[in-house]
Amino acid sequence: MKILYKYPKTLLNKGTGFLAGYSHSLNPYTGCSFGCSYCYVRQMPVAIFRGAEWGTWVDIKKEAAAVFQKEYQKAKTKGPVTIFMSSSTDPYQPIENKEQITRSLLEVMACDPPDFLLVQTRSPLVRRDIDLLLRLGKHVRVSMTVETDLEEIRKHFSPQAPPIAARLKTLQLLAEAGVPTQAAIAPLLPSSARLAELLRPLVDRVCVDDYFMGDGSGGKRTRKMGIEALYKQLGLEEWYSPSAYRIVYDRLKQYFSEDQLFISQPGFEP
């Protein structure tokens, strides 16, 4: 893993496209060490023009809190501030345990909460910041990616990402602490019927998304990455389909009411 230190001049970006419901997106890092095979960021300029394989580098935004605080306060004078963290990296990179960039940004927001903050992650490290998340109260939601319940599938598609069991345990700890949460089955990977049963005691809100609805290009970015070949290797081609989400959605309906289930973009909105 190649780690570089950068000193950014800005951190807040205008919410556009899939995130048009947000006033801003916020990325504490550039790059992502989880390097998931299906990540749509692989097809974005930040990755394409890097000259290094996605998942092998992370840029750390030093002194981010000071830069963010100025931008944040200015944004609050202009109207409601809703933030999606993060759109092109996981805010809880393994290096976050040492660098604490994400925590420093949460500390700024905990002192003066935004109208809404969604923390999108697949890392159990988010449990470290329960104290700050509680200070944000109703203004925050942690969205934990649980794209499958099958560890062998997780290892096939995202071998560097945290184990599924650790994510489920983190959802349990967040719920017990009183932090608003949701499970994001996004992107949907092959799973068993047990996934819905596992999630039922942990969350009261689930979002289901796939490549075709959620990669920002109707599935074109994902097709360019050759992800379908990974499904063929496993003999699970039926899961690489615009209708595959119905398999999981129908299973979820046995355990969750319809007002607790969301499909694609509405499930991530403020």
Side-chain angles (χ1 to χ4, degrees), residues 136-190:
L136 285 161
K138 65 180 181 179
H139 299 280
V140 71
R141 179 182 300 130
V142 174
S143 179
M144 175 65 72
T145 299
V146 187
E147 62 271 67
T148 180
D149 62 320
L150 302 174
E151 190 65 0
E152 61 270 28
I153 293 293
R154 195 273 303 168
K155 290 178 179 178
H156 190 76
F157 287 89
S158 52
Q160 295 166 233
I164 299 299
R167 304 186 213 177
L168 296 175
K169 180 63 176 179
T170 300
L171 278 174
Q172 177 189 338
L173 294 173
L174 291 169
E176 289 174 352
V179 176
T181 59
Q182 75 172 12
I185 304 176
L188 174 145
L189 294 180

Side-chain angles (χ1 to χ4, degrees), residues 11-259:
L11 273 96
L12 284 174
N13 295 301
K14 181 177 172 57
T16 59
F18 194 84
L19 301 179
Y22 286 86
S23 66
H24 300 87
S25 64
L26 173 62
N27 291 283
Y29 298 90
T30 305
C32 184
S33 62
F34 294 147
C36 301
S37 61
Y38 47 71
C39 183
Y40 63 85
V41 183
R42 288 175 176 270
Q43 288 295 311
M44 295 177 68
V46 67
I48 292 174
F49 299 113
R50 181 70 179 208
E53 178 67 21
W54 182 252
T56 66
W57 56 274
V58 172
D59 293 347
I60 297 166
K61 298 181 180 181
K62 296 294 286 183
E63 300 179 6
V67 174
F68 172 65
Q69 186 161 32
K70 291 179 182 178
E71 283 187 293
Y72 180 55
Q73 293 303 323
K74 184 176 180 181
K76 294 196 81 168
T77 66
K78 297 180 178 180
V81 175
T82 53
I83 298 175
F84 187 98
M85 185 173 77
S86 303
S87 59
S88 59
T89 185
D90 194 300
Y92 286 96
Q93 297 293 306
I95 197 69
E96 164 66 15
N97 193 47
K98 170 177 176 274
E99 297 292 341
Q100 300 195 23
I101 305 299
T102 296
R103 183 170 176 85
S104 73
L105 300 176
L106 287 176
E107 286 172 340
V108 172
M109 289 184 273
C111 293
D112 184 11
D115 292 271
F116 183 77
L117 167 68
L118 188 132
V119 178
Q120 180 63 54
T121 184
R122 65 189 64 224
S123 173
L125 183 56
V126 67
R127 68 176 72 171
R128 179 201 65 189
D129 293 338
I130 284 177
D131 60 328
L132 296 175
L133 296 169
L134 288 174
R135 285 173 58 188
L136 285 161
K138 65 180 181 179
H139 299 280
V140 71
R141 179 182 300 130
V142 174
S143 179
M144 175 65 72
T145 299
V146 187
E147 62 271 67
T148 180
D149 62 320
L150 302 174
E151 190 65 0
E152 61 270 28
I153 293 293
R154 195 273 303 168
K155 290 178 179 178
H156 190 76
F157 287 89
S158 52
Q160 295 166 233
I164 299 299
R167 304 186 213 177
L168 296 175
K169 180 63 176 179
T170 300
L171 278 174
Q172 177 189 338
L173 294 173
L174 291 169
E176 289 174 352
V179 176
T181 59
Q182 75 172 12
I185 304 176
L188 174 145
L189 294 180
S191 60
S192 78
R194 190 163 175 254
L195 177 57
E197 183 182 353
L198 287 170
L199 293 176
R200 176 62 276 185
L202 304 178
V203 294
D204 56 12
R205 180 185 170 100
V206 181
C207 177
V208 180
D209 202 5
D210 64 12
Y211 309 119
F212 307 95
M213 295 182 283
D215 79 351
S217 66
K220 292 179 183 177
R221 285 175 177 159
T222 306
R223 281 193 292 274
K224 286 181 181 178
M225 293 187 289
I227 295 300
E228 188 174 8
L230 295 178
Y231 287 81
K232 289 181 178 178
Q233 288 175 23
L234 298 172
L236 294 170
E237 294 94 328
E238 74 274 14
W239 283 89
Y240 188 80
S241 161
S243 61
Y245 82 94
R246 293 293 322 186
I247 300 172
V248 173
Y249 188 80
D250 289 342
R251 290 171 176 172
L252 289 165
K253 285 200 298 184
Q254 299 177 43
Y255 294 87
F256 295 87
S257 61
E258 291 203 8
D259 64 351

